[in-house]
């Protein structure tokens, strides 16, 4: 009988023992990641918290942050880690702008033979991107006065826009601008016939 009483007491002690405390849940944590642009370059960003600063300046560099705590040490994500973390967001971004440059002979608004040959391919690329905005900007070299070159570069821009429209690009999304000789691709003095400045730049966004 005495032995049975001791067994009951042991069972009661086991039943009354308090369960061990659970470890506290870690605080919510976010990760700040510095993503590269379409050229693979980045600027830099400073992450601060609890009087501590962390500078991110490399593509894929990241730091973990929690509310009320100092940010952790920066680390660099591998390509697979970056894809797993930010892949859906990156895929949702619009494609980077595409640019085409077409050249002209001195004083003319007709494309050079080489540029004319490339225009059809450019038009096909533009159509395939379904852009919302296409800027068509005319330029000249520095031969002639400012007024003459403004009119000439405007004529060049309109000529390229008309050719693109004939190839199926919606004219409603094309914005035509003339810069005359004020924005040379290759800086020169005045009255210098530089072929690379006689151009129309088409930027697709």
């Amino acid at each position: 009988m005495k032995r049975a009483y001791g067994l009951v007491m042991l069972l009661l002690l086991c039943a009354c023992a308090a369960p061990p405390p659970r470890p506290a849940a870690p605080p919510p944590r976010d990760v700040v990641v510095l993503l590269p642009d379409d050229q693979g370059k980045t600027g830099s960003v400073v992450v601060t918290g609890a009087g501590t600063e962390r500078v991110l300046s490399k593509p894929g560099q990241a730091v973990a942050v929690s509310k009320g705590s100092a940010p952790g040490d920066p680390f660099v994500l591998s390509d697979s880690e970056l894809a797993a973390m930010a892949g859906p967001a990156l895929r949702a971004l619009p494609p980077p702008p595409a640019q085409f440059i077409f050249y002209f002979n001195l004083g003319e608004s007709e494309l050079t033979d080489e540029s004319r040959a490339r225009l059809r391919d450019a038009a096909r690329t533009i159509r395939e991107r379904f852009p919302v905005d296409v800027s068509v900007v005319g330029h000249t070299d520095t031969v002639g006065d400012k007024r003459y070159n403004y009119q000439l570069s405007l004529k060049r821009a309109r000529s390229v826009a008309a050719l693109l429209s004939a190839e199926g690009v919606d004219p409603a999304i094309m914005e035509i601008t003339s810069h005359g000789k004020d924005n040379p691709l290759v800086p020169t003095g005045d009255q210098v016939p530089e072929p690379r400045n006689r151009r129309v730049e088409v930027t697709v966004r």
Side-chain angles (χ1 to χ4, degrees), residues 40-104:
K41 300 177 182 177
T42 65
S44 63
V45 62
V46 179
V47 181
T48 63
T52 301
E53 289 188 353
R54 302 297 189 198
V55 179
L56 306 182
S57 58
K58 301 175 182 177
Q61 196 172 25
V63 63
V65 293
S66 300
K67 185 178 180 180
S69 302
D73 292 328
F75 54 97
V76 177
L77 295 169
S78 67
D79 290 343
S80 59
E81 290 171 328
L82 190 60
M85 180 176 293
L90 292 173
R91 287 191 291 273
L93 293 175
Q99 188 176 60
F100 306 92
I101 300 180
F102 304 101
Y103 295 100
F104 300 79

Side-chain angles (χ1 to χ4, degrees), residues 27-203:
R29 194 179 76 155
D30 293 323
V31 177
V32 178
V33 183
L34 187 62
L35 299 176
D37 63 16
D38 57 288
Q39 304 296 320
K41 300 177 182 177
T42 65
S44 63
V45 62
V46 179
V47 181
T48 63
T52 301
E53 289 188 353
R54 302 297 189 198
V55 179
L56 306 182
S57 58
K58 301 175 182 177
Q61 196 172 25
V63 63
V65 293
S66 300
K67 185 178 180 180
S69 302
D73 292 328
F75 54 97
V76 177
L77 295 169
S78 67
D79 290 343
S80 59
E81 290 171 328
L82 190 60
M85 180 176 293
L90 292 173
R91 287 191 291 273
L93 293 175
Q99 188 176 60
F100 306 92
I101 300 180
F102 304 101
Y103 295 100
F104 300 79
N105 292 320
L106 179 63
E108 296 182 358
S109 60
E110 298 293 327
L111 290 170
T112 62
D113 292 341
E114 181 181 344
S115 287
R116 178 174 283 277
R118 292 191 298 107
L119 188 128
R120 181 166 292 178
D121 290 337
R124 184 180 63 252
T125 300
I126 294 171
R127 292 195 307 270
E128 291 173 350
R129 289 171 63 100
F130 299 103
V132 296
D133 176 68
V134 177
S135 68
V136 184
V137 183
H139 301 268
T140 68
D141 59 23
T142 60
V143 177
D145 62 28
K146 190 167 185 175
R147 181 175 180 180
Y148 165 79
N149 280 304
Y150 175 82
Q151 294 297 332
L152 178 58
S153 62
L154 179 61
K155 194 173 181 180
R156 287 172 174 169
R158 287 173 173 168
S159 174
V160 168
L163 292 170
L164 291 174
S165 178
E167 293 293 336
V169 177
D170 184 359
I173 63 173
M174 288 191 280
E175 180 181 4
I176 299 172
T177 309
S178 171
H179 285 189
K181 63 178 185 179
D182 291 338
N183 189 16
L185 183 64
V186 180
T188 69
D190 198 21
Q191 306 304 317
V192 175
E194 170 54 59
R196 290 171 291 180
N197 289 335
R198 300 192 292 265
R199 70 198 193 280
V200 165
E201 296 181 356
V202 177
T203 304

